Every structure is written in C-alpha cells, then in structure tokens.
Amino acid sequence: MTDLPFAIIGFDLDGTLLETHRDLGAAVNHALELGGFDPVPADHASDLIGGGAKIMLKQAVDRQGGLPDDEFRKLYKQMLAYYSANNAVHTQPYPHAREVLAELGEREIAMAVVTNKFESFARQILDTLDLAQHFVAIIGGDTMGKGRAKPAPDPVFEAIRRGGGGSLAFVGDSSYDVRAARAADVPVVGARYGYCDKPRGELGADAEIDSLAELIPALARLG
C-alpha cells in the first residue's frame, strides 16, 4: 500500500520525465533546412517545446517569416518522418526518473504518461529507454482525437479512467500541463528543471520542484 494521498500519478513526457530537446531540435532543423530557413540554435530548441511538434515547428517557421498552410503541412510531414527515425538518439531520462518510477511502482501507485507528442512516438521512445513497463497508460496528443490534447482536460480524465479511478496528481513542466490539470480539477506539480515557459512562481502549480528527487516529498505535502 502507499502512504501518498494519490492513487495515480500522471506525467508529462518532454521536460518532465525525458530530456528530449536535442532530438526535437534536430528534427526541427532538418525541416527548416528543407524549407530554406535558418536552423534553431541547439540551446534555443527547448524554448519551443510545450504544445507538441507541430506548434514547435510553427513557432520556428513563423519567427522567420512563415509559410502558406499547404507548404507548412509538407514541411511538418517531413519533420515527423525524420523524428520517427531519430527520436531517441540523444533523448534520456532526467536524473532520478528511473528511481522515482520504481519507487512509485513499489508503493502500488498507477502511473500514466500524458503528452502532446504523438502516442506512437511516445511509446517508441519509452520502449527504447526501457521505461514503458511502468505505465498503465501512454496517452499522446492524438490519442483522444482532434482538439482534445493538453491544455484540454480530456487526456487527464482518460489517465484517471485507465488508472482504475481514484485521485490523480499531475506532474508537468509547462503551462499546457497546469492548464490541463486545472481544467480536470486535479493538483499539479511544476517541474522547474524542464522546459518551463513561465518564471519561477508564475506557472500556477500547487508545488514546484527543481529535481525529480523532490517529487515524492512534494506529492506527500500536497495531501
């Protein structure tokens, strides 16, 4: 049994469990090069993460003048094809991720991934990193259908359903995560070490952590 006040923990993926910006940045730059745009510096790629790959590419393109919709769609498909073949080259779990997932499992807490990454990509990466077995659900940005990804609450509700019901706390690094959690009326922990798009104290989370090593104590305090 668990001594935490939650039956289920939902995790965002990029910037929360996994450091993914190098592979995402490489995919964006591949598409930008094909489109005749300048590449995004590697250390700036993390600024574009949050709403999923399509928004990430759109922001990078728009910063350089934009494209007509039909041309952007072609570029986006080329980005996805590249990322499908190269999505776990540099991607790694954040420090303490494996230990925290193992401990939550030992406490008999169900865990779910709720990401705006395509479900197939999320599953592929988690399988490659030998992490998929920890989760009762891997819910992607396309899992619930169009318009139902974060910040909509739908994937959080689905995580609760697949987790067997009961109380859920969500962990994420961006305003998309906080907004989804708020819409679903569940508590949320903000991951400051990730690709956070708000200054410290302004994310709107119930708690903020600087490392996954702080997560379980933070969850205990939320109870």
Side-chain angles (χ1 to χ4, degrees):
M1 297 296 291
T2 177
D3 56 359
L4 292 181
F6 304 105
I8 312 160
I9 306 299
F11 288 95
D12 173 50
L13 199 60
D14 302 69
T16 300
L17 284 176
L18 304 182
E19 187 177 30
T20 59
H21 71 277
R22 291 177 182 84
D23 288 331
L24 285 165
V28 168
N29 282 338
H30 174 77
L32 291 174
E33 182 179 0
L34 292 176
F37 295 98
D38 293 332
V40 176
D43 59 346
H44 291 170
S46 60
D47 295 337
L48 301 173
I49 297 174
K54 191 171 188 178
I55 291 176
M56 190 178 181
L57 180 63
K58 184 73 162 58
Q59 290 176 341
V61 168
D62 285 350
R63 289 178 183 182
Q64 298 185 54
L67 278 175
D69 288 347
D70 57 339
E71 293 182 35
F72 177 79
R73 282 193 295 270
K74 292 178 183 177
L75 207 60
Y76 176 54
K77 289 181 180 179
Q78 291 170 313
M79 173 184 167
L80 292 180
Y82 181 91
Y83 190 63
S84 179
N86 300 277
N87 56 29
V89 177
H90 302 290
T91 292
Q92 290 293 329
Y94 277 106
H96 311 290
R98 294 186 187 276
E99 294 85 351
V100 166
L101 294 176
E103 182 172 345
L104 290 172
E106 290 171 1
R107 291 170 180 250
E108 300 180 6
I109 294 176
M111 290 168 279
V113 165
V114 179
T115 176
N116 278 353
K117 190 186 296 294
F118 283 172
E119 181 180 332
S120 61
F121 289 165
R123 289 185 178 278
Q124 181 183 359
I125 294 167
L126 289 167
D127 280 335
T128 299
L129 297 177
D130 194 29
L131 292 173
Q133 72 275 9
H134 291 288
F135 303 105
V136 298
I138 298 171
I139 302 166
D142 57 334
T143 302
M144 304 302 296
K146 189 173 181 179
R148 298 179 68 190
K150 296 179 298 184
D154 306 54
V156 179
F157 291 141
E158 181 68 5
I160 294 171
R161 186 186 73 80
R162 296 196 200 180
S167 58
L168 176 144
F170 198 72
V171 188
D173 68 310
S174 78
S175 58
Y176 288 86
D177 300 310
V178 173
R179 289 162 60 195
R182 291 289 175 241
D185 196 25
V186 301
V188 56
V189 176
R192 294 299 321 174
Y193 55 85
Y195 309 129
C196 200
D197 57 349
K198 298 288 184 180
R200 183 176 295 276
E202 295 183 17
L203 188 59
D206 297 294
E208 294 187 353
I209 57 174
D210 292 309
S211 164
L212 278 168
E214 301 173 11
L215 177 59
I216 290 176
L219 290 170
R221 289 192 297 272
L222 287 183

